[in-house]
Amino acid sequence: MPEIKVETTYDNQIDDSIKINIKYKGEDLPKLLDYVFVKTLYTRVRQNPWTTSEEIYRAGFDTKYLVKEKIKLGSNIWYKVETPKGEGYIYGKSVELRTFRFPEMLGRIQDVEKFISEKNNEKVRLASTNSYLPNPYNKDMKRAKDKYGVSIDQNIVGVYEKENTELHIPDRSILSVEKINGNYAEVKVEGIKESPLKIQKKYLSYRPSIEKGFKKAVVVDVENQNLGVFEKVENDWVLISYIYAKTGIESELGFETPRGSYIVPMLKYEMGYRGIYGEDAGIAKYAIRFSGGGYLHGTPIEHDEESNEDFFLNQKETGLGTFKGTRKCIRNTVSHSKFLFDWIMGDTKRNENSNYQAPSENIIFIVI
């Protein structure tokens, strides 16, 4: 039998480098930080990491299990997991691994903070792109992609003249305005290595004012389908919440959630959405727009599900932290979306009669 090699161990703990003050008290705060979920109809949990070992438990589709080790046996990957019947081993091809990468989240926040600080010191003006055109009936969505796989839909073209390359810059991306020449601007987009990019000046927005910096950030991890929420207290970034999520997938009605750094322009108490034929399909609550038609929002409920809302919410929210599956948006539980909504609004006096709200301060969304 080939040698068993433990490639990675997991402790289900937040890294010691992360300062913590969890403010979200919802029951849906994840207990599993390192886990696998079953992606097949079912899989067998075995006593040992090989297929002839005795089966001790049969795990169903979408079930999450605490993972302790990633093991390599020859060319095969197995995971040591904790189940209701004790420890066992699951074959790697029947599950997907998910973990919360808090140090990487914090690192990206610091990258954005450094970008803003350096440009302020250089006295280079900061801005964001503003290219969102609502398309409620999903007509003529522009699916052309650049070399990084970013679509042009609701975004703009940036020309990298050094390589005669066009890149797509998502709406509300953070950038610095290096030079303006007539109707065009040369910009450096935070998170994009190619610079400068030439864009049409009309897509620049100076509101909200990015020069002021930020003290609140949400970092979404597309690979692991989760997010962390951070707040700056004095000189330290503190983790105040984390949650499983669901992000966008390329589909007839939508796109992948674009990676990048964005400034939040507005929020909605309720966001309506339409079905494949343009019909009014349902409502998602506590929607926070970060890029184009991309919002972070609570799990949506279709109109014909409203009479049994709790049941359908429970069914849908079980799938958070597993597969991608939205039209571009970032889906959270309704409870956590409300927490974020209230945290962003702060003590701002709200007009309860308006569905649209403005953030009380700069809020940065980062998608990694």
Side-chain angles (χ1 to χ4, degrees):
M1 178 172 292
E3 180 185 0
I4 297 175
K5 296 181 180 179
V6 177
E7 287 200 334
T8 311
T9 59
Y10 303 92
D11 61 8
N12 203 52
Q13 300 294 318
I14 298 173
D15 191 270
D16 290 340
S17 65
I18 304 299
K19 295 185 182 298
I20 308 167
N21 180 19
I22 302 302
K23 295 183 178 181
Y24 178 60
K25 305 302 181 184
E27 294 182 359
D28 51 328
L29 188 74
K31 297 178 176 61
L32 301 181
L33 304 182
D34 304 312
Y35 62 95
V36 294
F37 71 91
V38 180
K39 65 180 181 180
T40 52
L41 183 61
Y42 70 91
T43 192
R44 295 175 173 87
V45 183
R46 299 185 182 276
Q47 285 188 347
N48 296 292
W50 49 81
T51 56
T52 57
S53 178
E54 183 179 349
E55 176 184 327
I56 59 173
Y57 193 75
R58 186 166 292 197
F61 172 74
D62 237 13
T63 309
K64 299 181 180 79
Y65 292 113
L66 174 69
V67 63
K68 294 188 172 182
E69 294 177 349
K70 180 181 179 181
I71 293 168
K72 190 168 186 180
L73 180 63
S75 60
N76 295 320
I77 298 295
W78 290 77
Y79 292 100
K80 184 178 182 180
V81 299
E82 183 68 44
T83 80
K85 293 190 176 181
E87 291 183 354
Y89 296 86
I90 294 181
Y91 184 46
K93 288 186 177 181
S94 64
V95 295
E96 290 282 348
L97 174 69
R98 297 286 184 259
T99 188
F100 280 84
R101 299 188 295 174
F102 295 117
E104 288 83 353
M105 293 178 181
L106 178 58
R108 281 296 288 128
I109 292 173
Q110 292 168 337
D111 288 343
V112 177
E113 196 173 39
K114 180 181 178 183
F115 179 83
I116 293 172
S117 175
E118 288 179 348
K119 294 304 175 181
N120 280 339
N121 290 338
E122 295 169 8
K123 300 190 184 307
V124 175
R125 196 166 188 189
L126 290 153
S128 62
T129 50
N130 185 7
S131 56
Y132 174 45
L133 292 174
N135 185 11
Y137 294 98
N138 309 307
K139 292 185 179 291
D140 302 321
M141 292 193 289
K142 300 172 183 177
R143 299 194 176 277
K145 297 183 183 297
D146 65 13
K147 68 178 184 179
Y148 294 118
V150 179
S151 76
I152 189 58
D153 195 76
Q154 298 179 338
N155 301 326
I156 64 171
V157 171
V159 178
Y160 184 45
E161 294 183 334
K162 185 176 180 181
E163 296 181 357
N164 194 27
T165 301
E166 290 187 350
L167 299 179
H168 299 155
I169 306 171
D171 174 61
R172 289 297 170 181
S173 292
I174 294 170
L175 54 81
S176 60
V177 183
E178 304 293 325
K179 184 188 295 186
I180 290 181
N181 185 9
N183 293 326
Y184 291 88
E186 291 184 4
V187 302
K188 165 62 180 171
V189 181
E190 196 286 322
I192 296 181
K193 65 180 181 179
E194 289 85 356
S195 176
L197 297 176
K198 184 178 179 180
I199 69 170
Q200 293 186 59
K201 184 178 68 174
K202 67 180 181 179
Y203 293 118
L204 292 173
S205 174
Y206 298 99
R207 297 178 64 185
S209 176
I210 296 172
E211 282 90 352
K212 295 178 180 178
F214 62 102
K215 294 184 177 180
K216 293 180 178 180
V218 178
V219 188
V220 181
D221 186 342
V222 170
E223 180 179 339
N224 286 286
Q225 295 293 287
N226 58 46
L227 62 82
V229 185
F230 294 80
E231 186 169 13
K232 195 164 191 180
V233 180
E234 296 181 349
N235 294 318
D236 295 318
W237 283 100
V238 179
L239 179 71
I240 66 165
S241 185
Y242 52 91
I243 203 76
Y244 302 141
K246 188 177 288 291
T247 65
I249 189 170
E250 198 76 14
S251 68
E252 185 175 351
L253 295 179
F255 301 87
E256 290 186 275
T257 304
R259 289 172 171 83
S261 56
Y262 311 102
I263 189 160
V264 171
M266 55 84 71
L267 306 84
K268 295 180 183 179
Y269 283 109
E270 290 187 346
M271 182 185 73
Y273 65 94
R274 297 183 180 274
I276 191 169
Y277 302 110
E279 74 280 11
D280 180 14
I283 293 292
K285 295 181 179 179
Y286 307 112
I288 305 160
R289 187 160 79 83
F290 63 95
S291 179
Y295 288 75
L296 184 150
H297 58 68
T299 298
I301 287 294
E302 297 180 13
H303 292 312
D304 59 5
E305 297 172 338
E306 291 173 357
S307 61
N308 201 1
E309 182 174 325
D310 290 345
F311 170 80
F312 286 106
L313 281 177
N314 181 64
Q315 292 294 308
K316 294 178 180 181
E317 291 179 350
T318 299
L320 298 176
T322 59
F323 293 109
K324 299 177 182 178
T326 75
R327 301 178 184 181
K328 184 178 184 178
C329 294
I330 301 161
R331 186 181 299 177
N332 271 202
T333 63
V334 174
S335 174
H336 193 262
S337 294
K338 183 180 186 306
F339 165 78
L340 287 177
F341 195 100
D342 291 340
W343 173 70
I344 288 173
M345 293 301 298
D347 296 327
T348 302
K349 185 177 180 180
R350 308 182 194 183
N351 179 0
E352 300 288 350
N353 296 321
S354 174
N355 191 39
Y356 296 85
Q357 300 291 321
S360 62
E361 59 185 287
N362 285 350
I363 309 296
I364 302 299
F365 262 61
I366 302 171
V367 182
I368 63 175

